Amino acid sequence: LAAATHAGRAAMAADATLPFVIVDAFTSVRFGGNPAAVVVLPREEPGKRRHAPPPDGIKWEYGVMPASHELSGRDGWPPDLFLQDVAREMNLSETAFVREKLDRRRTVGRGDNEELFADYDLRWFTPSGAEVDLCGHATLASAHALWDTARVAPFAVIRFHTRSGILPVVPLGEGAAELNFPSAAPNMLLLGAPPEAVRAPPRAHLESKSDDDDDDDDDDDDAPNNPAGVTPETVAAALGLSDLRADVDGEPTGDVVYPIVAGRNSVGDTFAVYPDPAHVLAARPHPKRIAALGGRGLVVTAPGGVATRQGGAPVDFTCRFFAPNIGIHEDPVTGSAFCGLGPYWTDALGIERGKEAVGYQASARG
C-alpha cells in the first residue's frame, strides 16, 4: 500500500488555523488512488491547566473556531457538528480526524525484536456528515500523514483506536505500509435469508452451469425472506446492467447475464459477482436504486482483469464500490471493501492461506 501527500493548512477562521494534509492512498502516483483529508488535532500541552467541560458538553457555534483546549481533546473530541462541517468543507469521500493519546509512545520486546509504536485515536466522516465504522484508505492516509509530518518516527508502528477496534499500520519503507484489518466475508444470512438458503461455497459460483441446472434452487436463493429485496434482478437494475447479454460468436445476443448475490458482510456491504471483469467496467450505477438495496454500499466484482491505471499488470479480481447511503456515489479505492473481497476471492479462487491475492478497483482514479 502506498500513498502520495499534498500538504496544506486550512484557515478555519480569521484568527485560527487547523493543519491538514490530503493523501492519495492506495497508489504510487499523484492524483491516483483514493484521496483522503487528514486533520491533525493539536497536541496535548503537558502541565497546562485542564478546563472543566461544560455540564452539557462542548457546543459548536457555526462559523466560530472552537477553543484550542476543545480542539486538543483534553475534554474529549471536538463537537461532532464541527467535525461534520470540516468533512463537508473537504468534500472528499472521507475526512479523517486523528488525536494523539496521552501515553502514546511505547516500546515492546528487547534487542533486535524491540518495536516502537504510537497510539492515536481516529475517526472518519463523509461529506454527508455520516461517521463510518471502518475506512481503509483514510487509515492509510492518516498513518502516512503522521509519518510524513514527523509527528511519528518513520519506523514506528501506529495503532489507531477506532470504532472498529485497534487498527495497526506497519511502515514498510518508501511510502508503503501494511494494514491489519478484520476479515468480513459476505454471508447470505446477513441479508435476512434463512439458514437453508445460504449459498454453496464461492468456488462453485464460478463454474459454468449446464442446461440441466436451470431449475436448481441456487437460482432462487437470493430472494427468500430477504427484506431488502436484494436479488440478481434488482442488483442488475441498480448497476444499469439489466440488458447485459452473454456473447455468442462475438455478438451480445445470448441470455441476460445476472450477477450472483454473494450476501452482505458485517461492514454492511452487499456483494454481487459477475463472471467477467468487462461486466464490472460496464456498470452504470443508479444511486437511488443502490441505496434502496440497503446496507452501507454495493460491491460489484469479477475474477481476473488488469490494473489499467497501475501499469496494466494482471490481477486476481476486479471490483467497484458504490455507497450512496453514506454520500459516496462511487469510491475510487475502498480498503474496507477488501475486508470482504479478500476472503471471498481467496476461497473462490482456491488461493492458499497466507498467499497473496491481488485486486484492482476499476474506478476513474484506479
Side-chain angles (χ1 to χ4, degrees), residues 315-335:
V315 296
D316 295 304
F317 61 89
T318 300
C319 66
R320 292 171 70 185
F321 179 71
F322 312 99
N325 280 335
I326 57 172
I328 301 171
H329 176 68
E330 178 171 6
D331 204 28
V333 189
T334 315

Side-chain angles (χ1 to χ4, degrees), residues 190-209:
L190 296 181
L191 279 176
E196 60 270 19
V198 177
R199 302 190 67 90
R203 193 175 297 109
H205 295 179
L206 303 181
E207 298 173 358
S208 59
K209 298 180 64 178

Side-chain angles (χ1 to χ4, degrees), residues 250-274:
E251 296 293 332
T253 57
D255 295 334
V256 174
V257 178
Y258 287 113
I260 294 164
V261 177
R264 182 170 289 162
N265 69 357
S266 56
V267 180
D269 297 333
T270 302
F271 289 75
V273 185
Y274 276 93

Side-chain angles (χ1 to χ4, degrees), residues 8-218:
R9 192 170 180 88
M12 303 298 295
D15 57 351
T17 60
L18 188 62
F20 75 95
V21 294
I22 295 175
V23 181
D24 296 330
F26 299 125
T27 184
S28 57
V29 298
R30 289 187 182 276
F31 313 119
N34 198 355
V38 181
V39 178
V40 184
L41 297 174
R43 294 177 183 270
E44 295 276 6
E45 297 182 31
K48 187 172 182 179
R49 180 178 64 84
R50 289 185 64 90
H51 294 258
D56 55 349
I58 299 170
K59 300 297 183 182
W60 160 230
E61 182 181 351
Y62 181 75
V64 178
M65 191 72 171
S68 61
H69 69 275
E70 296 174 347
L71 288 176
S72 70
R74 292 183 63 89
D75 305 320
W77 285 92
D80 282 4
L81 289 176
F82 171 72
L83 302 181
Q84 291 167 344
D85 280 336
V86 173
R88 292 188 184 97
E89 180 80 6
M90 297 300 176
N91 199 31
L92 295 171
S93 57
E94 262 88 16
T95 295
F97 296 89
V98 293
R99 183 183 68 170
E100 183 179 36
K101 295 186 77 69
L102 279 175
D103 185 18
R104 72 184 186 91
R105 289 189 178 88
R106 307 165 187 256
T107 57
V108 294
R110 294 179 180 274
D112 293 339
N113 294 323
E114 186 176 73
E115 183 179 65
L116 174 69
F117 62 87
D119 285 304
Y120 276 78
D121 290 319
L122 173 62
R123 296 172 71 183
W124 312 279
F125 287 83
T126 72
S128 68
E131 182 173 8
V132 297
D133 293 331
L134 186 65
C135 179
H137 82 281
T139 301
L140 175 62
S142 298
H144 187 76
L146 292 173
W147 288 320
D148 197 54
T149 58
R151 285 175 170 81
V152 175
F155 51 83
V157 175
I158 301 176
R159 302 196 312 178
F160 288 114
H161 297 248
T162 75
R163 288 169 65 162
S164 292
I166 297 176
L167 305 176
V169 186
V170 182
L172 301 179
E174 298 183 356
E178 178 181 278
L179 298 177
N180 189 345
F181 268 38
S183 175
N187 189 319
M188 284 301 294
L189 290 174
L190 296 181
L191 279 176
E196 60 270 19
V198 177
R199 302 190 67 90
R203 193 175 297 109
H205 295 179
L206 303 181
E207 298 173 358
S208 59
K209 298 180 64 178
S210 67
D211 292 338
D212 294 336
D213 295 331
D214 288 343
D215 295 328
D216 190 271
D217 288 340
D218 263 0

